[in-house]
Amino acid sequence: MASLNNFKKSIVVVALAASLAACGDNDSNDPVQVVTPPTPEPVSYTFDVTVSNLTAGQPLSPIAIIAHTEGTLWQIGSPASVALETMAEGGDNSQLLALENAIANASSEGPVGPGVNTTITLTTDSLEALKLSLATMMVNTNDGFTGLSALDVSSLAVGDSLIRTTVAYDAGTEANTEAAGTIPGPADGGEGFNEARDDVNFVARHPGVVTNEDGLSSSVLSPEHKFDNPLAKVVITSTQ
């Protein structure tokens, strides 16, 4: 009887060993499958910026929109950058759009006339600490401009909007003579940017224009070129 039991145990041991060997063979023969996770789709964030010109006779130059996380386009009491000066004296926004701290930019296709609005779409790939700045020249001035500097939009949810109005600024880079040949807008068709700085050399609120009917006989401006604050209405909407 003991021999029979021993024989049965031997059969069980042999069967178990064969089973383990088979498992080992299967493990070594099956190819190792590496699962590559899918590449995440790139995320983008889109804003529609609608600018309405509220003036009676001041066309606005092509509007520059800059997305950034650091810095400002201007500060009251500080000298204007060359990029801001170029825009404020001649309406050329190309240097502002090319600023090193810009992570995205956009521009209106052309000037925005009095009583007219335009919408500019800007797309960026990050919302973290995101700020938007906007700048445009009042072209019937020597170096007047308006806009918004470093407006925080990082928490703006899709479908929500921010509404702001803008005031008039003076770049302080060109004297407000309003003389013939010094204003690039349709009131004069004169010179735009000039690298010489012959004014206070700091950004300030614009004091307004003095027209030929106000006693400044050398001025090429008329009462329709006057303006009051606010200069423009800006609606920023997160669309994606």
Side-chain angles (χ1 to χ4, degrees):
M1 187 69 175
S3 298
L4 179 60
N5 288 337
N6 291 336
F7 178 72
K8 290 180 178 179
K9 289 179 180 179
S10 298
I11 293 175
V12 171
V13 170
V14 170
L16 180 59
S19 175
L20 292 174
C23 290
D25 289 343
N26 288 340
D27 288 345
S28 61
N29 292 333
D30 289 345
V32 177
Q33 295 184 355
V34 177
V35 179
T36 303
T39 302
E41 293 292 330
V43 178
S44 61
Y45 305 91
T46 301
F47 299 88
D48 281 349
V49 182
T50 299
V51 181
S52 301
N53 184 340
L54 303 180
T55 73
Q58 283 289 341
L60 301 177
S61 67
I63 297 165
I65 309 287
I66 297 99
H68 55 106
T69 59
E70 298 178 349
T72 59
L73 290 196
W74 68 85
Q75 289 185 322
I76 295 290
S78 297
S81 66
V82 174
L84 183 66
E85 176 188 14
T86 301
M87 188 279 302
E89 292 185 9
D92 178 3
N93 65 19
S94 59
Q95 292 189 45
L96 284 177
L97 296 173
L99 288 175
E100 289 186 359
N101 66 337
I103 60 175
N105 62 58
S107 175
S108 64
E109 293 184 359
V112 181
V116 177
N117 65 69
T118 189
T119 298
I120 306 123
T121 299
L122 181 141
T123 300
T124 180
D125 59 5
S126 175
L127 274 182
E128 186 176 358
L130 185 67
K131 300 174 179 60
L132 292 187
S133 291
L134 176 154
T136 177
M137 178 191 184
M138 298 174 284
V139 298
N140 285 326
T141 66
N142 286 100
D143 61 344
F145 71 97
T146 190
L148 299 170
S149 183
L151 180 64
D152 190 340
V153 295
S154 61
S155 60
L156 192 62
V158 173
D160 289 349
S161 299
L162 290 176
I163 301 175
R164 297 289 187 272
T165 55
T166 72
V167 299
Y169 296 99
D170 190 321
T173 57
E174 181 176 307
N176 298 331
T177 63
E178 301 169 12
T182 69
I183 292 177
D188 180 32
E191 180 185 53
F193 169 70
N194 186 318
E195 64 181 10
R197 297 194 176 194
D198 60 358
D199 201 2
V200 294
N201 199 28
F202 60 80
V203 176
R205 289 288 188 94
H206 203 292
V209 298
V210 181
T211 74
N212 47 36
E213 295 189 17
D214 295 321
L216 184 60
S217 59
S218 60
S219 174
V220 297
L221 302 183
S222 301
E224 65 265 24
H225 301 124
K226 287 189 171 185
F227 49 83
D228 293 316
N229 292 319
L231 271 292
K233 177 183 176 181
V234 181
V235 181
I236 302 172
T237 303
S238 173
T239 58
Q240 177 177 307

